[in-house]
């Protein structure tokens, strides 16, 4: 069904209700056969034509016994025995269910942006006459381009300006900006941090890092078949079965009468029973309650800040036995915080460093200045040493603040154990002597530990971390969270291979991430879950489930909502099929007439729909 609004179902519903009212009110012109038939045919067309067209197209492709065919046969059967309202209701219920399902999918997709928006749409090319803005596709290999602070690099290239810090988190997941030396490779998707950089283009746009990752996403998506809802599988068996049984209901008694002359065969009686059988067999309870159950599950999840991109992913999360997290921005905040200040040798160390960093936009500088607050310290002769740190004069002394490489370069001795510290260090020296350091780290989100604990409680037996950060840092986070394994120093291709290996071992894997580098593994995993609050557009678009508030604990909530929805779906399936079979048997023996068939069909459908909405209207905070 391509129609995704309630306009056509609304027209049919209005005409159906009007027809029933006129019939009960004995409206004169409506009592005649032709006007009544014509009225219900017109009511049928808005919802019936599309389904019958789908039935025909499926049949032409070899899928004769689709759910569309079952809807069509049941409707035609109802028309044949004069139950015109039932014929309209069959298609009406089906279309409402399909429309609700489509609306749920659209609601999730409306909250995400286009996959291609991540790719920069322009490049600043340096020419003899100045800077010219071009499309990345128009830039030739060997051209020089400029990238200003805060801008994303549009093409792969080689750095031609002095060493600079670039944010690589979107590509590698590293929380610390990477310092790239002159002549070093700069990849499309990186972000210039605190100074403008120039680079010589090394590859055309269609071969850049972004293009390669996009290609990986496309390939991974193609290898992952979407889960199929129960009703479609069920109809492939159910439809031919009930059609065959209905035909046998009219045919077998006739054959019996040929063998036994004492048996009086009345064609109209048995044909009537066969049509009753068809009407009873119409699975209205299933075709509306199953989509409604998924819609209810999607709605309940949305209220918790979890967006499912379709009911099939509600099914998929229930089968997960392994959850793999990205680290930076997923389990951690994705920003630096000062976690320790070692100033035993100089108590004013923090204030001096904050004063030195006050004019920088670098993430480390921002973290230190925010932590220190107002210092009142003034510095002079401030010098930026790209790739190393800062030098300045404060209180008549020459200060250094930066990486351990800065102290090595200046010949300043420092404790050997600092080299093995996994966190980011701003080492400080005064007048050529080490006086302490500031330790910064990308701290864990408040609910990161709780997220892993809830997954364990939900029955997920295996939890891992994959990251582009240093292995030592990943090990520390893995130990804190008590996950099974943590892997660091990974590129996007490494993450893809790791997920493929887990799936090859028979695991049902969910990957939870937030960056462009996570897009390929989000697409490849059985269920891709993206952090939507601060996550990259590409990750959000590629994922099957989106956590809107970036809370990792919502992953366990998503699993619980999926399981609750599946349980309701199974209840409706068992209930609807059980009642249908009972009334079918009664109908075959003449113990149930058409009114009983209609009552059983509509009543079961109503109860199934009420059950389907339980998950959405549940007031208990059971999905925390």
């Amino acid at each position: 069904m391509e129609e995704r609004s309630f306009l056509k179902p609304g027209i049919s519903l209005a005409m159906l209700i009007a027809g029933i009212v006129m019939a009960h009110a004995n409206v004169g012109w409506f009592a005649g056969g032709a006007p009544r038939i014509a009225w219900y045919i017109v009511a049928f067309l808005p919802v019936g034509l599309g389904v019958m067209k789908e039935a025909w197209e499926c049949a032409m492709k070899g899928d004769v016994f689709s759910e569309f065919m079952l809807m069509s046969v049941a409707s035609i059967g109802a028309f044949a025995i004069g139950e015109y309202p039932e014929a309209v209701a069959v298609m009406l219920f089906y279309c409402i269910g399909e429309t609700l399902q489509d609306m749920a999918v659209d609601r999730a997709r409306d909250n995400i942006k286009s996959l291609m928006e991540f790719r920069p749409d322009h490049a600043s090319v340096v020419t003899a006459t100045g800077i010219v803005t071009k499309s990345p596709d128009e830039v030739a290999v060997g051209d020089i381009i400029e990238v200003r602070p805060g801008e994303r690099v549009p093409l792969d290239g080689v750095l031609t300006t002095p060493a600079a810090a670039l944010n690589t988190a979107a590509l590698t997941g590293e929380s610390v900006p990477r310092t790239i030396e002159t002549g070093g490779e700069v990849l499309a998707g990186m972000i210039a941090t605190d100074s403008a950089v120039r680079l010589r283009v090394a590859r055309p746009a269609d071969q850049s890092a972004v293009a390669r990752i996009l290609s990986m996403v496309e390939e991974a998506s193609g290898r992952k078949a979407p889960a199929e809802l129960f009703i479609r599988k069920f109809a492939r068996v159910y439809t031919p079965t009930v059609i065959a049984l209905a035909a046998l209901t009219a045919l077998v008694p006739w054959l019996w009468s040929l063998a036994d002359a004492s048996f009086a065969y009345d064609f109209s009686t048995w044909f009537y029973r066969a049509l009753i059988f068809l009407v009873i067999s119409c699975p209205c309870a299933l075709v509306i309650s199953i989509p409604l159950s998924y819609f209810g599950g999607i709605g309940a999840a949305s209220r918790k800040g979890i967006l499912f991109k379709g009911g099939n992913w509600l099914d998929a999360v229930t089968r997960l036995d392994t959850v793999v997290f990205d680290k930076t921005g997923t389990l951690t905040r994705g920003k630096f915080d000062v976690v320790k200040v070692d100033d035993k040798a100089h108590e004013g160390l923090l204030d001096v460093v904050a004063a030195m960093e006050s004019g920088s936009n670098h993430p480390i500088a921002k973290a230190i200045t925010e932590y220190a607050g107002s210092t009142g310290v003034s510095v002079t002769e401030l010098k930026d040493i790209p790739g190393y740190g800062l030098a300045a004069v404060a209180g008549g002394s020459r200060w250094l603040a930066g990486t351990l490489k800065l102290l090595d370069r200046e010949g300043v001795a420092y404790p050997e154990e600092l080299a093995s510290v996994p966190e980011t260090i701003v080492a400080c020296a005064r007048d050529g002597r080490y006086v302490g350091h500031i330790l910064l780290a990308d701290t864990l989100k408040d609910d990161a530990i709780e997220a892993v604990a809830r997954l364990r409680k939900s029955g997920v037996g295996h939890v891992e971390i994959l990251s582009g950060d240093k292995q030592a840092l990943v090990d520390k986070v893995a130990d804190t969270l008590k996950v099974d394994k943590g892997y660091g120093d990974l590129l996007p291709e490494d993450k893809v291979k790791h997920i493929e290996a887990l799936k090859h071992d028979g695991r049902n894997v969910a990957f939870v991430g937030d960056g462009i580098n996570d897009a390929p593994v989000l697409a490849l995993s059985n269920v891709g879950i993206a952090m939507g609050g601060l996550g990259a557009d590409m990750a959000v678009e590629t994922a099957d489930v989106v956590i809107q508030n970036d809370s990792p604990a919502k992953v366990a909530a998503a699993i619980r909502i999926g399981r609750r929805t599946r349980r309701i779906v199974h209840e409706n399936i068992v209930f609807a099929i059980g009642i249908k079979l009972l009334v079918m048997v009664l109908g075959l023996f003449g113990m149930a007439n058409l009114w009983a068939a209609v009552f059983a069909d509509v009543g079961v459908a109503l109860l199934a729909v009420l059950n389907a909405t339980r998950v959405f209207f549940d007031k208990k905070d059971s999905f925390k």
Side-chain angles (χ1 to χ4, degrees), residues 393-399 430-431:
V393 174
S397 298
R398 182 174 183 268
W399 281 79
R430 178 190 179 194
D431 293 331

Side-chain angles (χ1 to χ4, degrees), residues 36-37 40-41 44 71-88 90 267-268 271-276 278-279 594:
R36 184 165 176 262
I37 294 173
Y40 283 113
I41 288 176
F44 175 84
M71 296 297 101
S72 301
V73 171
S75 296
I76 292 171
F79 266 115
I81 60 175
E83 280 300 322
Y84 313 128
E86 175 69 355
V88 176
V90 166
F267 174 76
S268 60
F271 183 67
Y272 182 73
R273 290 184 183 182
L275 292 179
I276 289 175
L278 273 181
V279 173
L594 186 58

